[in-house]
Amino acid sequence: MRDFKELFGELVKAGVHFGHQKSRWCPKMEPYIWGYKNKIHLIDVSKTASQLEKAEKFLESIAAEGKNILWVGTKKAASEPITLAGKKLNMPYVNHRWLGGTLLNYSQVKNL
């Protein structure tokens, strides 16, 4: 597992601290917003890093049990890494448009 400072630096360098325009925000995200600049919300990267560490531990426990993980990344920048992860790990992945209701209506979707 990576050092917290190293992860923090990588996140800032990658630009994950840039959020949506102030006019297009969800109030539920308020605890994760650090501030704003040029009408763009800035995400609290320290909270992002700690939540990523929690997610990493959770995924490790799921993988250790031999269960499948559905990898989803539909943004242009995420498409290739999601494809590589899914193929390398031989697990399901979605790297293009996500169809709403796919998981909740799986019994209907699998019949298509």
Side-chain angles (χ1 to χ4, degrees):
M1 194 179 307
R2 288 180 284 188
D3 176 64
F4 185 80
K5 285 185 178 181
E6 180 184 336
L7 177 59
F8 183 91
E10 287 178 27
L11 291 172
V12 171
K13 186 176 179 182
V16 299
H17 59 292
F18 294 114
H20 291 284
Q21 296 174 345
K22 281 182 64 179
S23 61
R24 307 178 123 224
W25 77 299
C26 176
K28 291 181 181 180
M29 289 300 296
E30 188 171 13
Y32 304 100
I33 296 174
W34 174 74
Y36 64 92
K37 183 176 182 178
N38 298 329
K39 299 182 182 179
I40 301 290
H41 276 130
L42 300 174
I43 306 297
D44 186 338
V45 180
S46 63
K47 289 182 180 177
T48 302
S50 66
Q51 292 298 323
L52 282 172
E53 287 181 335
K54 284 173 67 174
E56 180 181 22
K57 289 176 186 172
F58 174 74
L59 290 172
E60 284 176 354
S61 69
I62 295 296
E65 294 175 18
K67 294 181 179 177
N68 277 334
I69 298 167
L70 173 60
W71 298 91
V72 179
T74 58
K75 299 285 186 184
K76 191 178 274 188
S79 181
E80 186 179 343
I82 289 296
T83 302
L84 293 174
K87 288 181 177 179
K88 180 180 178 181
L89 301 171
N90 197 27
M91 292 189 180
Y93 64 93
V94 176
N95 65 344
H96 287 91
R97 187 174 186 278
W98 177 262
L99 298 175
T102 301
L103 294 177
L104 295 175
N105 300 313
Y106 184 71
S107 60
Q108 295 297 317
V109 173
K110 73 178 182 180
N111 292 329
L112 297 176

